[in-house]
């Protein structure tokens, strides 16, 4: 019985190693489109001048 448990444990480790490190899944078209959209630049507007003063500080 211990040999069966050790064998299953070893088999599980081999399968996990294969699925995590060796197997590369191909990306679908939707994943490729979203990945290219993430690499594009994002518009940014600085709005720090519109923030209210911190609590406890005196506003000018």
């Amino acid at each position: 019985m211990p040999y069966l448990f050790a064998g299953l444990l070893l088999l599980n480790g081999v399968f996990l190693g294969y699925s995590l490190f060796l197997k590369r899944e191909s990306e679908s078209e939707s994943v490729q489109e979203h990945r290219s959209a993430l690499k594009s630049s994002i518009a940014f507007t600085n709005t720090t001048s519109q923030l209210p003063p911190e609590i406890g500080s005196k506003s000018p």
Side-chain angles (χ1 to χ4, degrees):
M1 198 67 170
Y3 296 114
L4 178 64
F5 179 72
L8 289 174
L9 193 64
L10 183 65
L11 186 64
N12 189 14
V14 168
F15 180 72
L16 181 66
Y18 170 74
S19 63
L20 289 178
F21 300 111
L22 299 177
K23 186 175 134 184
R24 300 286 180 201
E25 295 184 13
S26 60
E27 295 180 349
S28 63
E29 291 180 20
S30 62
V31 171
Q32 291 174 355
E33 290 173 4
H34 287 91
R35 188 179 304 270
S36 65
L38 286 174
K39 290 181 181 177
S40 63
S41 63
I42 298 173
F44 174 74
T45 306
N46 189 358
T47 58
T48 55
S49 62
Q50 300 173 2
L51 293 174
E54 293 181 5
I55 297 175
S57 65
K58 296 181 180 179
S59 57

